[in-house]
Amino acid sequence: MMIRPEKPADVEAIHSLTREAFKDHPYSDGTEHFIVDRLRNAGALSLSLVAEVQGEVVGHVAFSPVEFSDGSAGWFGLGPVSVLPSQQGKGIGGALIRRGLEILRERRAAGCVVVGNPELYRKFAFQNDPQITFADCAPQYFLVQPLSSTPASGIVTYNAAFYGGVDG
């Protein structure tokens, strides 16, 4: 498996695999592929990595900037993370997340936030922090990972692409 930055030729594959990855997911509204498209179109897809196996794009992870009510800068939101259903359970999603966090550290990002399964994301050093909240989410499902010693607190807002329509 090779993890690399997204290329223009990957856009269609990313759209398709993201749609397939979330098609039957119990906590999905089925719009994740449109979110990735809107992030890209808005210039807010700060980091977009694909996992390739034998020349086929089988996984994708997106990182986009988030805003804090206290003005903290340099924070990113993780997600969506997508792996083709036939390739799930092979560590592809985890490898994408680890590589993305590594790149954010190299870029001296302040931190990363994620909405998701706490058991899964704690494996990547995400944790709950009562000082950092997300209004649209139960607190146990909103996790953070500081990547620097710069403190942050307040309410997090994701890019508008997460709240748009489904027209991509």
Side-chain angles (χ1 to χ4, degrees):
M1 174 180 60
M2 177 175 62
I3 295 177
R4 60 170 175 77
E6 159 188 317
K7 297 176 185 174
D10 300 325
V11 170
E12 174 106 11
I14 291 168
H15 183 89
S16 296
L17 83 88
T18 304
R19 183 182 62 241
E20 287 302 309
F22 285 97
K23 184 170 63 175
D24 296 321
H25 195 281
Y27 301 109
S28 168
D29 65 1
T31 64
E32 288 81 2
H33 53 297
F34 294 120
I35 292 169
V36 174
D37 292 344
R38 287 191 301 264
L39 285 168
R40 187 182 296 108
N41 292 339
L45 196 53
S46 302
L47 180 59
S48 179
L49 301 174
V50 297
E52 193 177 284
V53 174
Q54 296 179 344
E56 179 186 11
V57 174
V58 298
H60 175 258
V61 66
F63 292 86
S64 58
V66 296
E67 294 181 7
F68 273 72
S69 60
D70 76 347
S72 294
W75 282 75
F76 295 86
L78 163 60
V81 180
S82 310
V83 177
L84 282 176
S86 64
Q87 298 293 317
Q88 291 175 5
K90 298 179 180 181
I92 294 169
L96 284 163
I97 292 168
R98 281 188 293 280
R99 181 65 184 127
L101 290 170
E102 182 181 299
I103 291 170
L104 289 180
R105 279 187 203 90
E106 291 168 0
R107 293 180 179 178
R108 301 195 187 283
C112 189
V113 299
V114 66
V115 173
N117 180 337
E119 290 180 33
L120 170 67
Y121 289 104
R122 283 192 182 108
K123 295 176 186 176
F124 303 101
F126 283 90
Q127 57 194 327
N128 299 102
D129 182 341
Q131 300 300 312
I132 301 175
T133 61
F134 178 49
D136 296 338
C137 182
Q140 66 269 29
Y141 298 110
F142 185 68
L143 299 101
V144 305
Q145 185 177 147
L147 299 174
S148 75
S149 59
T150 306
S153 64
I155 300 168
V156 171
T157 304
Y158 280 78
N159 185 279
F162 282 87
Y163 307 103
V166 296
D167 57 2

